[in-house]
Amino acid sequence: MPEGTQLEETLVSIKNLSFLRGTRKIFDSISLDFQRGKITAIMGPSGTGKTTLLKLIGGQLKPDQGTVTVDHNNVHQLSLKSLYQLRKRMGMLFQSGALLTDMNVYDNIAFPLREHTALSEAMIRSLVLMKLQAVGLRGARNLMPNELSGGMARRVALARAIALDPMMIMYDEPFTGQDPISLGVLVELIKKLNTILGLTSIIVSHDVQETASIADYIYVISGGHVVGQGTPEQIENSESEWVRQFMRGDADGPVPFHYPAKDYIEDLLSYR
Amino acid sequence: MIRLTRQLGRYTLQSLAKLGRGSLFLNHTLSGLTEILFRPRLLIRQLYFVGVLTFLIIVISGLFVGMVLGLQGYYTLSDFGAEESLGVMVAASLVRELGPVVAALLFAGRAGSALTAEIGLMKATEQLSGMEMMAVDPVKRIIAPRFFAGFISLPILAALFSAIGILGGEMVGVGLLGVDEGSFWSQMQANLDFYDDIMNGVIKSIVFGFVTSWIALFEGYDAIPTSEGVSRATTRTVVNSAFAVLGLDFLLTAMMFGDD
């Protein structure tokens, strides 16, 4: 936990969390804290269960041990109704965007408003246009999801995630597969939204530079453990070999280049 | 031998687990009925996609099945000089068996497979998950309207299938082969019983509508979220629906007509 942290400043708190998939341990008793109003990044190689962690925070998966607390609510002890109430205050940006493909951009953003509020269509229209303006896509309101580029789809999804004015947003790999321009746009948007709307952001990513440029605090996860944590500068200068390999992108190190296998020479000669 | 037993055991366990998941899913789906009562527009939209768009294939198939019944029936009955009974034969075969069964098989192929693919792809593209995170229950919002649309559509489609089939039989029997029109209709009217024949057929189609919609939606919801997983799930929908329809048809027939 970062120094000088007051309990009331923590919005999301994960304590001694373990999660198994089959017999494989995805998380082995990890503890993380996410500060209110800050951008916290979770980084780590592919396959370390970063998306799983977001699903655990959102209550879509149940941990085998440990607790997840969001705004003083123990997520996995809530009734379904209270969980849904809590989720209205949590936005999530999926890697694929997860836009509803049978609706256009406008209706996609209006969807959570129509489902959860009794606002008039005129009011909904104003809200939708404001959210679209924020992500720069007010002109694209009549396009269908299949007519959007990857970067645009993610921006629409972002507009939808903030439609209900949540207290926090979880970003699942927001930078993956983006061209440099959309990448710049997304980095800027995430930073701006966090400041202007007073959000708390959790970013799961393995794009080191982009994430480090906007994060206030970073956790590096590997093999089910937190292998490093700190501000971007602290992580940059970390002593840990794990963290250094990850931040520099070395092919070999504590995370080996080779998938576990028997001896190379022996393997080559073992053909009968 | 041990391996065989082990495989059999694993298969049994997997099937039981799936049956359990399927039952929970059905329970959850049925609880979505209240939501539909408040928002009938969700259901009406699905009635169009599931029911109305299946209409054409049902009408064309019904016509041809009826015409074939007219031909075959005429050749067999005329050997005994009983071609006047053609109307009864065509109508009884259709309303008792062919209407509900063939309509259900066509429904599973046309609407069921589409439902599985749609739900499976929604799962694969995280749309269902995304809805959950927007605090919208995807089973109530997406699955339930489709389920009730299928459940309502199939009995109507089966009735249409039978009606069009009877017209097809009449076209061939009366129009082409010269069976007396009066006897065709009057014998049908005299010999078909409303409860024994027509209602039993309707009950069958209600059961088939329930089962085929359930299978199609559950296979989509339970699909492995990859393109291969969705493709397999779609195949399973058609195969399992066909087995379920034909198996249940035998059971229902035995129960309904067993006393005669």
Side-chain angles (χ1 to χ4, degrees):
Chain A
M1 196 184 283
E3 277 172 37
T5 302
Q6 304 288 309
L7 195 63
E8 55 269 27
E9 284 182 351
T10 306
L11 181 66
V12 180
S13 172
I14 295 175
K15 291 253 177 305
N16 307 322
L17 178 105
S18 296
F19 183 76
L20 292 128
R21 186 151 272 168
T23 51
R24 203 162 74 92
K25 247 189 179 163
I26 308 280
F27 298 119
D28 190 3
S29 191
I30 58 167
S31 297
L32 311 164
D33 282 301
F34 301 90
Q35 304 291 321
R36 213 181 271 273
K38 297 277 185 290
I39 300 180
T40 308
I42 302 164
M43 296 168 110
S46 312
T48 40
K50 300 190 296 293
T51 305
T52 308
L53 190 65
L54 292 188
K55 291 197 165 174
L56 283 162
I57 296 174
Q60 287 188 301
L61 294 172
K62 274 198 166 45
D64 292 285
Q65 247 173 45
T67 55
V68 177
T69 321
V70 177
D71 198 24
H72 310 296
N73 297 293
N74 183 338
V75 173
H76 299 97
Q77 283 181 355
L78 292 176
S79 67
L80 198 63
K81 208 173 163 189
S82 321
L83 179 63
Y84 272 28
Q85 286 300 328
L86 183 65
R87 280 185 188 161
K88 286 183 199 170
R89 301 193 288 135
M90 303 162 85
M92 177 145 172
L93 187 74
F94 284 84
Q95 197 173 348
S96 59
L99 296 174
L100 303 172
T101 42
D102 58 342
M103 297 177 186
N104 65 16
V105 166
Y106 181 94
D107 289 328
N108 257 291
I109 298 167
F111 181 80
L113 295 166
R114 289 183 179 142
E115 291 289 324
H116 295 306
T117 67
L119 297 173
S120 67
E121 272 304 307
M123 187 70 121
I124 286 179
R125 182 172 182 276
S126 308
L127 283 171
V128 171
L129 294 188
M130 278 157 67
K131 306 295 172 191
L132 276 173
Q133 175 75 9
V135 298
L137 290 176
R138 192 162 44 83
R141 75 185 93 156
N142 292 323
L143 296 182
M144 295 301 283
N146 59 7
E147 298 171 301
L148 302 172
S149 70
M152 283 161 83
R154 239 167 260 186
R155 276 150 73 187
V156 173
L158 185 52
R160 186 178 65 179
I162 56 171
L164 289 172
D165 291 318
M167 59 182 177
M168 60 181 279
I169 299 197
M170 299 188 274
Y171 298 92
D172 187 4
E173 301 283 5
F175 309 122
T176 309
Q178 298 293 316
D179 65 68
I181 301 177
S182 353
L183 205 126
V185 170
L186 279 167
V187 169
E188 199 51 39
L189 263 178
I190 293 175
K191 179 87 189 156
K192 230 164 75 181
L193 286 176
N194 200 74
T195 321
I196 297 173
L197 301 179
L199 292 169
T200 302
S201 302
I202 301 176
I203 302 180
V204 149
S205 179
H206 50 231
D207 293 281
V208 173
Q209 295 311 322
E210 290 74 24
T211 313
S213 72
I214 52 170
D216 296 302
Y217 201 79
I218 297 177
Y219 287 98
V220 182
I221 297 186
S222 185
H225 299 276
V226 175
V227 293
Q229 56 175 295
T231 60
E233 295 75 38
Q234 287 170 333
I235 291 284
E236 199 77 37
N237 306 318
S238 170
E239 296 290 307
S240 156
E241 280 185 53
W242 284 92
V243 178
R244 272 206 302 227
Q245 186 197 357
F246 182 74
M247 298 303 279
R248 285 202 222 123
D250 297 338
D252 212 351
V255 178
F257 170 68
H258 292 287
Y259 194 80
K262 60 180 166 181
D263 185 65
Y264 184 41
I265 303 291
E266 195 184 307
D267 209 0
L268 284 175
L269 296 175
S270 66
Y271 183 75
R272 265 176 288 180
Chain B
M1 186 65 200
I2 287 175
R3 228 177 66 191
L4 196 75
T5 320
R6 197 187 295 158
Q7 271 175 354
L8 189 73
R10 184 184 306 147
Y11 181 75
T12 314
L13 282 178
Q14 280 171 353
S15 307
L16 284 175
K18 189 164 179 176
L19 193 67
R21 287 201 303 278
S23 309
L24 287 172
F25 172 80
L26 180 65
N27 188 26
H28 195 166
T29 306
L30 293 176
S31 74
L33 182 61
T34 43
E35 178 126 347
I36 289 170
L37 293 177
F38 282 114
R39 298 170 70 181
R41 263 208 297 180
L42 290 179
L43 177 65
I44 292 168
R45 194 176 141 84
Q46 291 311 320
L47 277 173
Y48 174 76
F49 285 117
V50 175
V52 177
L53 293 184
T54 316
F55 176 73
L56 196 64
I57 187 177
I58 290 286
V59 168
I60 294 173
S61 313
L63 189 67
F64 281 114
V65 168
M67 284 161 72
V68 170
L69 275 177
L71 272 180
Q72 295 280 17
Y74 179 81
Y75 292 136
T76 312
L77 290 171
S78 62
D79 284 349
F80 306 99
E83 55 267 33
E84 265 70 39
S85 303
L86 184 65
V88 191
M89 200 220 97
V90 169
S93 326
L94 279 167
V95 295
R96 280 184 172 200
E97 287 295 333
L98 290 174
V101 171
V102 179
L105 294 177
L106 291 170
F107 179 83
R110 163 65 184 75
S113 57
L115 285 175
T116 307
E118 187 189 13
I119 302 295
L121 280 174
M122 285 183 97
K123 185 177 177 186
T125 53
E126 295 182 310
Q127 291 183 55
L128 297 182
S129 204
M131 249 182 216
E132 271 181 26
M133 282 310 297
M134 281 188 279
V136 176
D137 186 343
V139 174
K140 287 185 178 169
R141 178 66 171 65
I142 298 287
I143 308 278
R146 286 164 174 74
F147 176 79
F148 287 103
F151 180 54
I152 296 170
S153 299
L154 186 54
I156 300 173
L157 290 170
L160 275 167
F161 185 97
S162 301
I164 303 274
I166 291 170
L167 288 179
E170 195 234 355
M171 239 162 68
V172 170
V174 177
L176 291 179
L177 301 169
V179 175
D180 180 56
E181 192 179 1
S183 348
F184 184 91
W185 291 112
S186 61
Q187 287 225 15
M188 191 192 303
Q189 202 177 3
N191 288 308
L192 279 195
D193 186 76
F194 179 70
Y195 289 102
D196 278 351
D197 298 312
I198 295 176
M199 278 323 282
N200 279 344
V202 171
I203 291 171
K204 276 186 183 178
S205 62
I206 290 174
V207 173
F208 297 160
F210 188 91
V211 173
T212 48
S213 307
W214 176 26
I215 290 176
L217 290 164
F218 177 64
E219 287 293 355
Y221 193 75
D222 203 46
I224 299 164
T226 58
S227 27
E228 196 205 354
V230 174
S231 124
R232 279 187 186 194
T234 313
T235 310
R236 272 203 306 272
T237 290
V238 177
V239 174
N240 291 351
S241 298
F243 283 151
V245 165
L246 296 170
L248 280 171
D249 183 48
F250 174 73
L251 276 180
L252 289 169
T253 308
M255 277 159 60
M256 289 167 175
F257 303 106
D259 306 337
D260 295 351

